[in-house]
Amino acid sequence: MNKAHNENRDLRRLLRDLVALATTPAAWVGRAPAQIAESVADLLLHTLRADAVYICLRSQNSIEVVRDGQRPGFAEEARTLLSNSVPGSLYVDTITSPKWPISLKVAVQPIGISGEDGFIVIGCADAEFPSEAENLLLSVGANQAAVALRAARLRAEADSERNRLRDLLAQAPAAMGLLMGPEHRWTYVNDEYVRLTGRNDPDDFLGKSVVESLPEIRTQGFIELLDEVYRTGKPFFGREMKTNLERSARGLSNESYWDFVYQPVRDAVGHVDGILVHAVEVTDRVLARKNIEESERKYRDLAESATIALHWVGADGTILWANKAELEMLAYTAEEYIGHKITEFHLDSPVINDILNRLCRGEKLREYQARLQAKDGSIRHVIIDSSVLFENGKFIHTRCFTRDITERKLAEQRLQQSEARFRAIVETTPECVKLVARDGTLLHMNSAGLSMVEAERAEMVVGKSVYDLIAPEDCLRFREFNERICQGERGSLEFDLLGLKGTRRHMETHAAPLQNPDESLVQLAVTRDVTERKNAEMALRESEQKLRVVTDATPVMIWMSGTDKLCYYFNKSWLDFVGRALEQEMGNGWAENVHPDDFDRCLQIYVSSFDARQPFEMEYRLRHHTGEYRWILDHGVPRHGPDGTFEGYVGGCLDIHDQKEASQARSRLAAIVESSDEAIISKDLNGLVTSWNRQAERLFGYTEQEMIGRSILTIIPPELHRDEDMILSKIRNGEKIDHFETVRVAKSGERIEVSISISPVRDENGRVVGAAKIARDIRESKKIERTLRTTEKLAAAGRLAATVAHEINNPLEAVANLVYLAKRDVRDAEKVASYLNSAKQELNRVAHITRQTLGFYRDTSSPVRFNVASTLDDVLGLYERRFETRNIRVVKQYDDDAEIVALAGEIRQAFSNLLTNALDAMPSAGTLSLRIHKSHKWDNAHAPGVRIVIADSGSGISPEHKQNLFQPFFTTKADVGTGLGLWITRGIIEKHGGSIRARSRTGQKHGTTFSMFLPGVPKHSREQAQLGTQPEHELVAGD
Amino acid sequence: MKIIVVDDEPVIADTLVNILNGEGYNAISTSNGRSAIEWSEKFQPDVVVSDVIMPGLSGVDTAKAILKQLPNCRIILFSGQAASVDLVARAREEGYSFEVLAKPVDPDVLLNKISGPEGA
């Protein structure tokens, strides 16, 4: 039991120790071998409960670790043991020492294969040492130590390798760095890299990406190159690549040039995982070369593109180089010229030989004249400047600057020729050509001039003062003129010349300064005899003056133009009209006043007539000085001089504005009359037709020719001829007649219903001389009106039927229920009697309603006398229950004996319409007032009749609706109304010669009042008979 | 079964209540829509028989208001006027379907209607 317990305990300890041993190397990672050995020693001493431990390691430097606190000298004993025998595996022995109380059992455990890494020697007093478990622990410990040691060794090797490399890279003259990963993060940069990129510290790079560390190169294409290298694994070699780095802090130029390599770095399995950057700055080299290239290019460019011809000739006379200007001058290509002997191109061999000799002697040539042969055979005159480039006393080549002076040579020749020609011209010209010095001395005069001054020989005037030849009154002007010219001005002058023989001539001179060879200025003058012209001008001016006096006096506006079509004269009338000065009107100034809409047309007429030399006439609007445009009639004719030559145009204009306006107004009116949709007729006071428009022709069938001068009675039906007398008498009194509906007869005999308005026509003194009559065909609208009346009658009948149905159905419902109850309670005589009594009352109601309804269907074709109050009550009876259920109080105020003669059915309909309107106006509660009293017409106290007022206390009619109240199809009751009720009502009332008015208020004291007047006896007219009976027929026909 | 009869004609309302009570129903009458709605709350009728065209609230509006309180209440409308057709049609567009009888209604027909299944 106890033993088992002990074994268990040992096993647990063993396991714990094994675990401790197996996990410790993890803690040793990164430690040096000596530290590892110390740890192993401590561990074993503890786990094996040994008395002493000795460890020796065979690394570069041998390391010993000893734990012999209780057994001094154990290390020496262990060394002796190991030097005697080197075991390949665990070896056990016993050592004794005088320093120890008892001998020790010793286990020697090699570390690594055959102890290549070292040995562990453990001593223990326990005679049983080492037990099997202790053996196991010892060998595990040794093994773990070996692993840790090997790892430490490998790391040390790697470290030293890395340091070696780092030293190497740090010393490299190139900038180097190592980038890892696809983001190109620096894991290494050498100092040179740090310096050349303008940074201070490797920490500016390490761990950062290229973009983070060198943000300025982000856009310079290097990142893309790195990406490419990383992706493809192919190295990139850059040559003299330009970069811009922020490195001014280091005193380096930002712009720099680099030779560099991006070398991919691969991991163990060959994948690219980094890039080695190796860069050498070559900025100085590149810039130096660029400078040289640039200066070379500049000089070459300068020489090549110089406008002066250049060539270099070798010592043997061969052309070494020539620039573009030289080749162009002679028109050779470079191959045809360069490489050839210079003598081939010189026309004069003595000259070129002389040149070459002089140059060989070291002379410089200045403006040496020579002749060269161009490719096309022509001769070029040139002057040459040349010198030789010697280096170390050796003739390298000549440098020849050649200037082409061929043009100058030719110009000199031409000048000589033209001077001769000019002299000839001057001598033969009919005008005086002279040269005058500043002091007035005549220097030269041609023969024409000599004859003008009446000198037989030049000597008579040349060399003498020219002022003697000028008329005394012009002399001062001429002197000033001469001095002005001699100071460099140009100008012209008119003056009188006195010939040597006393003849006076009027001269016109044009003068310019001329430079003498001594650079002083003289007057060169060309002078013409304009005596004739002057005389003509004087005459013309005189006659124009006369003309102007005449034209300014006339009210006609006059203008004149010259042969250039430009106006140069406007008379006073014109200028007064436009309110402008002559200067403003001159030339084309007058056109500013022509109406823009007329301008193009006028200009076209003017120009085309002018070119054809034809007279023209045109009307246009010209702006009056008041700003108003007025119509002008302009008549232009060509002007001819006495000899028949065309001199321009003269035109006269009249203001025709008022006439024009009047005629336009007339034609506008005529157009309106003609195009009117209404017949427009005028007649005189005798009724004779004086005008007859197109619509009158269409409406009545008579043509204008047929009717003019004929009596208007032609179209009036015989029975209405009396009306015409009444109309004419009203017109004579200056009265108007508006919208008078009547009948006229067309040529075909057809009777036409028309609405006529007639107004008096007055002459300019305000006397009535006739009448204008507008007749509108109202047949169509009358027809529509009749149809509408019928429609409304049917609708009214429908509404009535609906009302009646309700009024009858309710009593019937009650009766049905009462009969059912009577049947049910048949044994209770008292109850039955009560039911039947109620049923009888209900049936009376039905009978009453039926009687009232019948009133609407009585024959209404002829008027009858009836009592107004009882008729209104009949109609009211139909709606009584509806008034009651709506809580509407009915207030009556009747003249009970008021009677009228009328169509009773129609009057009932009118009342019914007004009562239903009142009903609709008061949906719940209100007062209906009904008043009937004997009265007379509003405007005629002698026309007796009856006034009926039906007033509700509804919400009233808004003012904007009120004006449409009696119009057909006007309704505010979209759901139930036809919009015809009031229109029909008015029709009925007016047909009976009565009238109806509505008053309405909204807001406080609201309500609507309809007030009707019906005459006691209706007036009998044909119209009423006609219009009154027709709808009844149509109702029957349509039913 | 409890019934409210609504008609502005007292003769019709009273005789109908008399007939219905005689057949064993528990019927009361009222003369306008407003009081019908008030009575419905207290009386909790199973059926409401109402005229359509009445002063104040129409039968249709009354029925709608009662259905809001008593969704299971049965409504039977009766009317003697053509205009009521429009009101009922409009109510149908709003989703109400009422049984409608034309006045005059034979009391036997009305009784059959009330005792029979809804919509028959």
Side-chain angles (χ1 to χ4, degrees):
Chain A
M1 179 80 188
N2 199 21
K3 183 184 181 193
H5 175 77
N6 282 344
E7 276 179 8
N8 251 349
R9 198 192 56 200
D10 290 346
L11 202 55
R12 274 207 303 280
R13 242 187 75 189
L14 176 63
L15 273 174
R16 195 193 65 209
D17 292 342
L18 273 174
V19 168
L21 272 171
T23 53
T24 37
W28 298 341
V29 170
R31 291 196 188 170
Q35 290 171 307
I36 295 171
E38 301 262 359
S39 299
V40 171
D42 288 339
L43 194 67
L44 289 177
L45 197 67
H46 177 71
T47 52
L48 298 184
R49 286 188 307 282
D51 291 294
V53 176
Y54 169 85
I55 297 175
C56 74
L57 295 180
R58 291 185 187 162
S59 54
Q60 304 100 311
N61 320 308
S62 91
I63 292 167
E64 281 188 331
V65 172
V66 181
R67 297 284 184 270
D68 59 354
Q70 293 168 2
R71 304 289 175 185
F74 183 76
E76 288 79 27
E77 295 297 334
R79 265 183 225 117
T80 311
L81 190 63
L82 286 173
S83 62
N84 291 339
S85 62
V86 177
S89 60
L90 181 70
Y91 161 79
V92 181
D93 204 346
T94 305
I95 321 175
T96 51
S97 168
K99 294 174 189 170
W100 308 336
I102 55 169
S103 62
L104 289 175
K105 282 293 289 282
V106 174
V108 179
Q109 175 68 44
I111 301 171
I113 301 161
S114 309
E116 62 182 8
D117 292 325
F119 290 92
I120 301 170
V121 181
I122 294 183
C124 188
D126 186 351
E128 298 296 316
F129 180 83
S131 70
E132 204 176 333
E134 285 160 342
N135 259 343
L136 183 61
L137 287 173
L138 189 57
S139 69
V140 167
N143 197 28
Q144 295 294 33
V147 170
L149 286 169
R150 180 147 313 181
R153 196 160 55 236
L154 285 175
R155 199 177 60 247
E157 277 167 20
D159 280 348
S160 76
E161 183 66 19
R162 191 153 51 238
N163 286 335
R164 205 166 52 81
L165 190 64
R166 199 175 292 260
D167 289 347
L168 200 65
L169 293 178
Q171 288 158 23
M176 295 184 78
L178 184 61
L179 297 165
M180 295 306 287
E183 291 176 327
H184 315 303
R185 288 194 180 278
W186 296 104
T187 56
Y188 170 74
V189 284
N190 68 358
D191 292 342
E192 187 71 353
Y193 197 97
V194 174
R195 188 179 71 82
L196 288 179
T197 50
R199 271 47 178 184
N200 295 318
D201 199 302
D203 287 343
D204 293 337
F205 293 90
L206 295 180
K208 294 179 182 164
S209 71
V210 173
V211 174
E212 288 160 359
S213 56
L214 300 168
E216 64 267 37
I217 65 158
R218 180 199 293 273
T219 55
Q220 297 181 32
F222 296 101
I223 308 300
E224 291 75 6
L225 286 175
L226 287 169
D227 287 343
E228 179 73 7
V229 169
Y230 194 88
R231 194 175 59 74
T232 61
K234 288 185 185 152
F236 177 84
F237 299 91
R239 281 279 299 160
E240 297 186 356
M241 297 272 286
K242 185 171 156 184
T243 61
N244 254 302
L245 286 163
E246 185 49 61
R247 46 184 213 166
S248 47
R250 282 247 183 185
L252 296 169
S253 65
N254 285 353
E255 187 180 306
S256 50
Y257 294 85
W258 301 78
D259 286 350
F260 64 88
V261 182
Y262 289 155
Q263 178 67 49
V265 175
R266 294 169 189 277
D267 62 12
V269 291
H271 289 140
V272 176
D273 65 352
I275 296 170
L276 179 71
V277 179
H278 176 285
V280 178
E281 183 172 3
V282 293
T283 308
D284 291 345
R285 186 181 82 201
V286 171
L287 289 183
R289 199 187 60 242
K290 277 186 185 292
N291 278 339
I292 292 168
E293 281 169 2
E294 177 65 11
S295 73
E296 209 174 271
R297 193 190 59 74
K298 264 194 219 150
Y299 284 115
R300 187 175 294 278
D301 195 46
L302 190 69
E304 190 61 48
S305 62
T307 50
I308 194 160
L310 282 172
H311 68 261
W312 297 344
V313 176
D316 60 350
T318 306
I319 300 167
L320 299 176
W321 176 78
N323 76 347
K324 223 160 76 185
E326 174 126 352
L327 293 171
E328 274 173 7
M329 179 176 77
L330 299 174
Y332 291 106
T333 63
E335 294 77 42
E336 287 165 341
Y337 196 66
I338 295 165
H340 291 256
K341 296 286 184 206
I342 187 69
T343 48
E344 289 173 35
F345 302 98
H346 274 261
L347 272 172
D348 310 299
S349 49
V351 171
I352 181 62
N353 288 335
D354 184 44
I355 290 172
L356 290 174
N357 285 335
R358 281 164 180 261
L359 289 173
C360 284
R361 288 201 299 270
E363 274 185 50
K364 280 187 179 170
L365 298 185
R366 283 278 298 155
E367 304 208 337
Y368 195 102
Q369 291 213 11
R371 295 192 305 157
L372 296 177
Q373 173 105 51
K375 192 180 178 184
D376 62 359
S378 65
I379 297 163
R380 314 303 302 180
H381 295 266
V382 295
I383 52 176
I384 295 169
D385 292 275
S386 187
S387 62
V388 174
L389 175 68
F390 288 100
E391 271 180 15
N392 304 327
K394 195 172 161 242
F395 185 109
I396 300 298
H397 57 67
T398 69
R399 293 171 297 193
C400 299
F401 298 78
T402 311
R403 275 175 288 162
D404 188 350
I405 56 163
T406 312
E407 290 302 319
R408 202 168 81 195
K409 282 265 178 197
L410 290 177
E412 274 171 19
Q413 285 166 9
R414 275 198 297 273
L415 191 65
Q416 283 162 8
Q417 284 166 4
S418 88
E419 202 178 321
R421 216 174 295 140
F422 177 69
R423 239 170 237 290
I425 291 168
V426 167
E427 278 312 307
T428 53
T429 184
E431 293 174 348
C432 167
V433 179
K434 62 178 186 289
L435 289 176
V436 181
R438 190 165 182 175
D439 64 358
T441 309
L442 184 65
L443 301 173
H444 173 85
M445 184 173 260
N446 69 348
S447 49
L450 292 175
S451 80
M452 284 180 202
V453 299
E454 299 171 323
E456 283 147 20
R457 296 184 313 281
E459 303 87 73
M460 293 169 78
V461 285
V462 172
K464 297 178 178 164
S465 172
V466 78
Y467 300 142
D468 297 341
L469 297 167
I470 311 298
E473 69 269 24
D474 291 335
C475 198
L476 190 61
R477 280 199 304 128
F478 190 90
R479 191 190 286 265
E480 285 167 5
F481 178 73
N482 184 46
E483 292 196 352
R484 273 212 317 280
I485 301 299
C486 290
Q487 281 166 18
E489 283 184 40
R490 289 167 161 271
S492 59
L493 183 76
E494 287 188 27
F495 64 94
D496 279 7
L497 182 80
L498 290 176
L500 292 177
K501 291 174 182 163
T503 310
R504 180 182 277 263
R505 289 169 205 276
H506 191 72
M507 306 300 285
E508 180 188 85
T509 188
H510 297 271
L514 185 72
Q515 198 164 31
N516 265 349
D518 67 353
E519 304 207 335
S520 68
L521 292 175
V522 298
Q523 180 194 166
L524 168 64
V526 177
T527 311
R528 187 182 301 155
D529 183 349
V530 293
T531 314
E532 294 287 320
R533 201 186 74 196
K534 187 80 185 171
N535 289 345
E537 267 178 23
M538 293 285 279
L540 188 66
R541 207 171 293 161
E542 246 171 71
S543 84
E544 268 189 5
Q545 193 61 39
K546 277 183 211 151
L547 179 72
R548 198 154 298 182
V549 170
V550 175
T551 58
D552 279 353
T554 168
V556 176
M557 298 184 280
I558 293 171
W559 53 264
M560 271 195 272
S561 59
T563 53
D564 53 2
K565 300 195 179 95
L566 296 177
C567 291
Y568 65 86
Y569 172 72
F570 293 90
N571 75 344
K572 192 165 175 304
S573 299
W574 177 288
L575 297 174
D576 287 350
F577 182 93
V578 295
R580 279 153 60 103
L582 181 62
E583 292 70 35
Q584 292 173 283
E585 296 296 276
M586 291 278 274
N588 280 325
W590 59 274
E592 291 164 19
N593 289 320
V594 175
H595 195 287
D597 291 351
D598 297 338
F599 181 74
D600 289 344
R601 178 175 54 83
C602 287
L603 194 67
Q604 208 263 324
I605 293 172
Y606 177 67
V607 169
S608 63
S609 305
F610 201 103
D611 290 341
R613 308 281 188 259
Q614 291 293 320
F616 63 82
E617 201 172 87
M618 59 191 184
E619 291 180 6
Y620 56 88
R621 281 162 287 179
L622 187 66
R623 191 164 54 209
H624 192 252
H625 62 81
T626 57
E628 174 197 17
Y629 278 102
R630 293 185 68 82
W631 280 99
I632 296 297
L633 172 66
D634 192 340
H635 185 78
V637 289
R639 272 185 311 126
H640 296 282
D643 56 351
T645 54
F646 173 70
E647 289 183 338
Y649 266 66
V650 60
C653 308
L654 281 175
D655 180 344
I656 56 162
H657 193 75
D658 296 335
Q659 293 96 303
K660 182 99 182 167
E661 285 284 274
S663 89
Q664 276 180 351
R666 251 199 317 280
S667 50
R668 259 199 305 274
L669 278 179
I672 291 167
V673 168
E674 274 311 293
S675 61
S676 172
D677 270 349
E678 299 179 343
I680 300 176
I681 301 162
S682 62
K683 59 190 179 186
D684 63 19
L685 289 177
N686 298 317
L688 298 181
V689 172
T690 52
S691 80
W692 187 262
N693 80 341
R694 198 150 317 145
Q695 182 59 19
E697 289 186 341
R698 278 197 286 268
L699 186 58
F700 299 115
Y702 295 100
T703 63
E704 190 182 0
Q705 287 92 330
E706 281 176 295
M707 284 307 292
I708 299 277
R710 224 160 130 181
S711 170
I712 194 69
L713 293 175
T714 313
I715 58 164
I716 299 178
E719 72 272 17
L720 294 180
H721 279 186
R722 278 181 303 128
D723 288 3
E724 178 63 10
D725 294 338
M726 182 270 292
I727 289 168
L728 284 175
S729 78
K730 278 196 162 184
I731 290 298
R732 280 195 202 95
N733 292 336
E735 287 178 45
K736 279 175 73 176
I737 295 162
D738 272 335
H739 304 302
F740 168 58
E741 291 187 6
T742 181
V743 179
R744 291 290 177 262
V745 185
K747 193 177 182 182
S748 62
E750 187 193 348
R751 284 176 171 252
I752 299 169
E753 288 165 276
V754 289
S755 164
I756 290 177
S757 295
I758 306 174
S759 324
V761 175
R762 298 165 193 275
D763 65 8
E764 54 267 47
N765 301 318
R767 254 191 342 228
V768 175
V769 292
K773 175 163 156 181
I774 296 174
R776 182 158 19 117
D777 182 356
I778 56 168
R779 281 174 295 181
E780 202 51 37
S781 57
K782 284 281 173 193
K783 208 182 211 167
I784 291 165
E785 264 184 36
R786 284 194 286 272
T787 313
L788 284 179
R789 277 177 214 282
T790 312
T791 310
E792 169 59 13
K793 276 206 171 148
L794 289 169
R799 283 200 300 276
L800 193 66
T803 305
V804 168
H806 183 246
E807 298 307 317
I808 291 175
N809 284 337
N810 266 335
L812 287 182
E813 173 71 32
V815 169
N817 290 350
L818 290 162
V819 168
Y820 179 96
L821 289 171
K823 230 166 85 186
R824 190 189 71 185
D825 301 336
V826 71
R827 297 184 197 287
D828 188 337
E830 204 174 314
K831 271 189 180 170
V832 169
S834 158
Y835 293 147
L836 290 180
N837 196 33
S838 293
K840 184 173 172 248
Q841 280 174 20
E842 291 299 312
L843 286 174
N844 282 345
R845 232 173 96 197
V846 174
H848 179 67
I849 289 161
T850 315
R851 267 199 309 280
Q852 284 173 323
T853 312
L854 280 178
F856 282 86
Y857 299 97
R858 278 188 210 135
D859 180 19
T860 55
S861 59
S862 57
V864 292
R865 177 169 295 273
F866 60 89
N867 183 287
V868 180
S870 63
T871 305
L872 183 56
D873 274 349
D874 277 353
V875 178
L876 184 64
L878 270 178
Y879 302 104
E880 208 155 19
R881 283 190 55 78
R882 283 165 73 182
F883 284 115
E884 275 170 30
T885 56
R886 290 188 189 196
N887 247 336
I888 296 169
R889 196 162 63 95
V890 180
V891 180
K892 296 179 189 174
Q893 204 180 338
Y894 289 169
D895 273 353
D896 286 333
D897 55 346
E899 286 188 342
I900 56 169
V901 175
L903 300 166
E906 292 195 354
I907 298 299
R908 266 197 197 88
Q909 192 187 348
F911 290 169
S912 169
N913 286 342
L914 293 174
L915 289 177
T916 48
N917 273 355
L919 204 55
D920 292 335
M922 299 181 284
S924 59
T927 305
L928 174 73
S929 326
L930 303 174
R931 286 196 297 280
I932 299 169
H933 53 92
K934 283 177 263 178
S935 178
H936 50 75
K937 252 187 166 173
W938 278 294
D939 54 352
N940 189 346
H942 303 295
V946 178
R947 182 165 310 287
I948 303 121
V949 176
I950 298 177
D952 64 58
S953 64
S955 53
I957 300 157
S958 68
E960 74 262 24
H961 285 153
K962 215 164 130 183
Q963 56 185 351
N964 295 320
L965 212 50
F966 292 104
Q967 297 302 314
F969 302 116
F970 176 79
T971 178
T972 56
K973 305 176 280 183
D975 287 348
V976 291
T978 59
L980 292 170
L982 283 174
W983 177 69
I984 292 282
T985 303
R986 185 175 67 164
I988 291 168
I989 303 296
E990 288 182 351
K991 194 169 81 179
H992 285 84
S995 55
I996 179 165
R997 286 179 180 184
R999 283 203 313 275
S1000 187
R1001 304 174 65 141
T1002 54
Q1004 259 192 337
K1005 286 191 166 185
H1006 49 80
T1008 304
T1009 302
F1010 286 94
S1011 176
M1012 281 165 283
F1013 175 79
L1014 284 167
V1017 179
K1019 75 169 193 191
H1020 280 278
S1021 89
R1022 216 172 8 267
E1023 266 173 68
Q1024 282 166 3
Q1026 217 177 21
L1027 300 177
T1029 53
Q1030 233 165 349
E1032 299 294 314
H1033 285 305
E1034 286 183 14
L1035 180 58
V1036 173
D1039 245 2
Chain B
M1 190 185 279
K2 290 181 281 185
I3 301 174
I4 294 180
V5 177
V6 195
D7 199 306
D8 58 323
E9 296 261 2
V11 184
I12 297 175
D14 294 346
T15 48
L16 269 182
V17 166
N18 192 339
I19 292 168
L20 290 169
N21 285 338
E23 291 299 318
Y25 295 109
N26 180 7
I28 60 169
S29 76
T30 172
S31 66
N32 62 62
R34 186 71 52 203
S35 74
I37 295 165
E38 275 173 31
W39 273 108
S40 293
E41 215 178 338
K42 294 179 202 148
F43 188 65
Q44 300 278 317
D46 303 293
V47 180
V48 170
V49 178
S50 175
D51 191 12
V52 176
I53 309 290
M54 296 184 291
L57 273 186
S58 78
V60 172
D61 290 334
T62 306
K64 284 197 252 175
I66 290 172
L67 279 181
K68 238 175 238 168
Q69 297 172 9
L70 309 169
N72 294 322
C73 183
R74 189 171 164 196
I75 306 286
I76 297 170
L77 299 175
F78 65 143
S79 171
Q81 246 185 315
S84 57
V85 175
D86 292 342
L87 291 178
V88 173
R90 212 170 294 165
R92 188 169 301 133
E93 279 167 24
E94 293 170 25
Y96 296 95
S97 170
F98 300 122
E99 295 168 69
V100 185
L101 297 170
K103 279 186 188 173
V105 185
D106 186 328
D108 286 323
V109 172
L110 182 65
L111 289 170
N112 279 338
K113 191 109 193 158
I114 291 172
S115 62
E118 192 167 343

